[in-house]
Amino acid sequence: MHILALLRNRFATALQGWVDDYEQYLSLITSARDPQHGDYQANIAMPLKNVLGKPPREIAQQIVDRLEVSDICAEPEVAGPGFINLKLKDEFLTQQLTKVITDERLGVQAAEPARTYVIDYSSPNVAKPMHVGHIRSTVIGDALTRILRFVGHKVISDNHLGDWGTQFGMIIYGYKNFVDPAAFSASPVEELSRIYRIIQSVIGYQSAIAKQAAAEAAIQTAEDAVVSAESMPADDKKRKKQIKAAGRGLRNAQENLQGIEEKIAAVRSDPKLLEIAEQHADLQTRCQLETVKLHEGDEQNLGLWKQFLDISIEEINAVYQRLGIEFDFTLGESFYHPMLAAVVKKLRQVGLAVENDGAMCVFLEEFDAPMIIQKRDGAFLYSTTDLATIDYRLQEFSPDALLYVVDHRQSEHFEKLFAVGRKMGLEDIELKHVSFGTVLGKDGKPFKTRSGAVIGLEHLLDEAVERAYQVVLKSQTSRTDAPGMDESEMRQVADVVGHGAIKYADLSHNRTSDYEFDLNKMVQTEGNTSAYIQYMVARIKSIIRKGEVDTSFRNAAELSISIGHPAERALILHLLQFEDTLEHCLEDYMPNILTGYLYSVAKAFASFFDQCPVLKADSQEQRSSRLAICFGTARVLEQGLNLLGIDAVERM
Ligand code: ARG
């Protein structure tokens, strides 16, 4: 049920022919924050004050006089400086809920017109261990795909794998020089990740050595700055500020040096690493050369690349499978490699790309630095691949929108990419970087394990499932109303709850913010967690089982819903806002709007269930009405979880 759209339409009719450009005011009709002021409110009269040259209260009254909502609402009220408060009629609520319950799609109408979206998400750089940072893109992208599809759009999901980057040069070099063949055949993923870490440490070490002297000198300079700030005359107004700034400078310099020293110590304390570092001077360049050879089609490197790629893909597929993630396409960067020269040529021909200092660049008015699409040595870049990808997607899918679910550090890349896209004539296509923040550890820094390695994803999923199991076990032994599950059912539930917890925690944070990864919090059955919602669904299902009603409601005649309590009314109103929520969620691709909604439905249900007896209702009619409301609630919650890629359980 699209209540907001319905009300906005009625207001549109009231304003038409009276107020110019009335459409702009319709977004000021919203659901009411405070239920005391009704269910919806329209704050239209105030901004019309200057347009119509009348006091807002008078305008509000005029709007009300023109407004035809008597089939939906009680008589609208004008309040305060000119708010219009709307309260839906109970009869309308029960009618609409009947429609929702008896409809396959919960009353959600198919989007008109349906659009075609290409959504680029997950897209990890493979051949490095997957880590928690990869979760966000995967989970957000999957939820958006599901929601867009549910409301009737066509969605093409594409996993733009980083399968052609410099990490391959690293493992190719490492493999050629220090693979342990027995370890490789026993567990190729682990051996490759060991090789990758060796290369990373040694490159880190060598570049740290190169920077060490300068970093030490910077400390001296920073200390001098502190001394000179402190020796400023006490009455100098700038003194305090300078001392602060110098202090900050010194701390930064110290942190920088500390980082460098740690990298050096890590290798010095390990004789094997040290030996590698000494035998393979300038390792970074050596690895880069392997990447270049790969890109030039060297047969041996191509063979190794293919072998490593298959291994990595198998590894990430295991994660996708656990998370229930599927893509329509997995067209990685390597797929576009043969098209890159043509992209550069085309941009040159239309005069967008010009040579600058040997490199091919696209200059954009909005940016100081150009977008480089081919380096002096002939190598193509990440941007070149993304330009080729756009071309390909346009040709193959004729999309209305291209969404990129990628972390916020790539904002500038996408701003430039879209600017070039628009110059190439993509004005009518929505180009959107659905960006997201960082997953943080307890220390407020990007999430890492104690050893400092970014934590492996599979391990993290196992951990979440294990903690979920502990929570389920505890609740089974401590609750009097526990369903009495056996070990295998508890394991099954823990699996659903654990995976759901990781997804929900991610989706429930505004995607643009960073959030702290806290496994213990995520699996709790209280608060804004998936476990709370899953628990509520299981509770409702148990009530319905005990109620012994046939829930195959498919026609309205079988249902007679009534409202006998404010908590009951509040719950129904919530249930009817599902469609509005999905629309709101898609306005700026914010899954947390859906999680917030599900949480509030679950809370509204808890409060209803607290105050309104269901199985022991006053009358048979009330009992079946309330059972139907329970049923509707379970369906909305379950459907909502499903759109987030999260399952529900029958008992918990
Ligand atoms: N592989 C990239 C990374 O891990 C993300 C790719 C995003 N998609 C794109 N079309 N650029 O940073």
Side-chain angles (χ1 to χ4, degrees), residues 539-573:
R539 253 177 103 179
I540 299 174
K541 294 205 162 181
S542 134
I543 299 163
I544 293 174
R545 276 193 301 269
K546 286 187 196 141
E548 293 180 338
V549 282
D550 178 10
T551 50
S552 55
F553 307 115
R554 278 295 168 260
N555 73 67
E558 294 166 20
L559 275 166
S560 156
I561 295 173
S562 58
I563 296 180
H565 190 283
E568 192 164 38
R569 187 181 186 283
L571 174 60
I572 295 177
L573 180 61

Side-chain angles (χ1 to χ4, degrees), residues 120-126 134 137 160-163 333 382 385-386 389 393 404-407 409-410 413-414 417:
D120 176 322
Y121 67 95
S122 196
S123 312
N125 293 332
V126 293
H134 289 120
S137 173
H160 188 78
L161 280 190
D163 61 359
E333 291 176 5
Y382 184 55
T385 308
D386 258 331
T389 308
R393 289 176 177 162
Y404 297 82
V405 187
V406 184
D407 83 80
R409 287 168 305 182
Q410 297 194 26
H413 164 71
F414 285 106
L417 182 69

Side-chain angles (χ1 to χ4, degrees), residues 592-652:
N592 65 310
I593 292 186
L594 179 54
T595 59
Y597 167 76
L598 296 178
Y599 182 44
S600 70
V601 170
K603 281 193 297 187
F605 178 80
S607 142
F608 156 80
F609 193 59
D610 242 14
Q611 303 174 67
C612 307
V614 176
L615 297 174
K616 296 197 174 115
D618 288 340
S619 64
Q620 198 54 35
E621 290 75 41
Q622 194 172 53
R623 184 177 186 273
S624 42
S625 163
R626 287 187 175 164
L627 277 165
I629 295 171
C630 288
F631 175 73
T633 310
R635 280 198 61 204
V636 167
L637 290 177
E638 235 177 321
Q639 182 64 65
L641 285 176
N642 174 281
L643 294 180
L644 302 171
I646 300 173
D647 289 333
V649 290
E650 289 297 309
R651 316 199 299 170
M652 203 170 143

Side-chain angles (χ1 to χ4, degrees), residues 383-396:
S383 318
T384 331
T385 308
D386 258 331
L387 288 167
T389 308
I390 291 186
D391 275 349
Y392 182 82
R393 289 176 177 162
L394 293 184
Q395 255 174 39
E396 283 303 298

Side-chain angles (χ1 to χ4, degrees), residues 291-302:
T291 309
V292 171
K293 269 168 77 181
L294 168 67
H295 290 177
E296 284 170 351
D298 174 86
E299 231 162 85
Q300 188 195 8
N301 281 13
L302 267 176

Side-chain angles (χ1 to χ4, degrees), residues 17 42 55 69 81 109 159 174 196 198 226 239 343 388 469 508 523 596 630:
V69 287
Q109 279 159 31
N159 185 0
Y196 182 76
I198 293 179
V226 171
R239 184 170 183 271
V343 167
Y469 175 77
S508 61
V523 295
C630 288

